[in-house]
């Protein structure tokens, strides 16, 4: 039986979108860069982690799913075929917090609020 291992999000700037989602999700953070990872990036011609083409956001060892934000050349053009549904104790406060992080409200419904992250990827906050 299949299990979710990672969620991969194609994006134009992995580092900034990873920071948004690390701040948006409870208990998640951008994975730290150790010297071996910095050396690997330098070997690929990348001197600044801000230019890393694949940034990991995780909650801790063994916690799934992890999120990889991966550089792609094209912008998002159409509606997502899959999205995350988030929940919070206070939906209205959470929507305001996410807007403060760079998200925007797309539509408000009786049972959820449809939002977009800074690169336009849709997600919902359930009421």
């Amino acid at each position: 039986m299949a299990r979710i291992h990672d969620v991969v999000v194609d994006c134009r700037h992995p580092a900034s979108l990873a920071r948004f989602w690390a701040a948006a999700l409870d208990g998640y953070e951008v994975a730290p860069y150790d010297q071996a990872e910095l050396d690997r990036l330098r070997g690929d011609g990348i001197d600044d982690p801000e230019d890393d083409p694949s940034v990991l956001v995780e909650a801790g060892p063994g916690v799934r799913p992890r999120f990889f934000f991966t550089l792609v050349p094209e912008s998002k053009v159409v509606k997502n075929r899959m999205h995350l549904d988030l929940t919070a104790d206070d939906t209205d406060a959470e929507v305001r917090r996410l807007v403060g992080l760079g998200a925007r409200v797309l539509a408000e419904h009786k049972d959820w609020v449809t939002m977009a992250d800074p690169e336009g990827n849709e997600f919902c906050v359930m009421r």
Side-chain angles (χ1 to χ4, degrees):
M1 185 66 69
R3 296 178 309 278
I4 293 175
H5 187 266
D6 296 320
V7 174
V8 178
V9 178
D10 292 346
C11 55
R12 299 284 296 183
H13 193 260
S16 59
L17 199 58
R19 284 191 299 271
F20 168 83
W21 282 102
L25 298 172
D26 185 28
Y28 279 79
E29 62 183 39
V30 175
Y33 288 85
D34 61 16
Q35 192 58 50
E37 182 64 8
L38 293 171
D39 291 343
R40 186 191 68 76
L41 287 173
R42 278 191 204 96
D44 290 341
I46 300 164
D47 293 322
D48 185 347
E50 189 68 15
D51 298 324
D52 188 346
S54 187
V55 178
L56 172 62
V57 171
E58 60 186 350
V63 177
R64 300 283 185 212
R66 301 178 311 172
F67 293 84
F68 278 94
F69 295 87
T70 302
L71 179 67
V72 296
E74 66 278 354
S75 297
K76 181 182 169 303
V77 180
V78 297
K79 184 178 182 336
N80 298 14
R81 297 298 294 205
M82 184 173 76
H83 68 267
L84 298 177
D85 284 346
L86 308 180
T87 188
D89 293 334
D90 183 337
T91 301
D92 294 331
E94 184 62 8
V95 167
R96 286 190 301 275
R97 187 182 78 83
L98 292 167
V99 167
L101 293 172
R104 60 190 165 91
V105 174
L106 299 178
E108 296 203 28
H109 306 278
K110 177 181 177 238
D111 295 327
W112 72 90
V113 178
T114 303
M115 301 188 73
D117 73 14
E119 288 201 10
N121 300 301
E122 294 94 354
F123 64 97
C124 295
V125 180
M126 309 307 292
R127 294 196 189 278

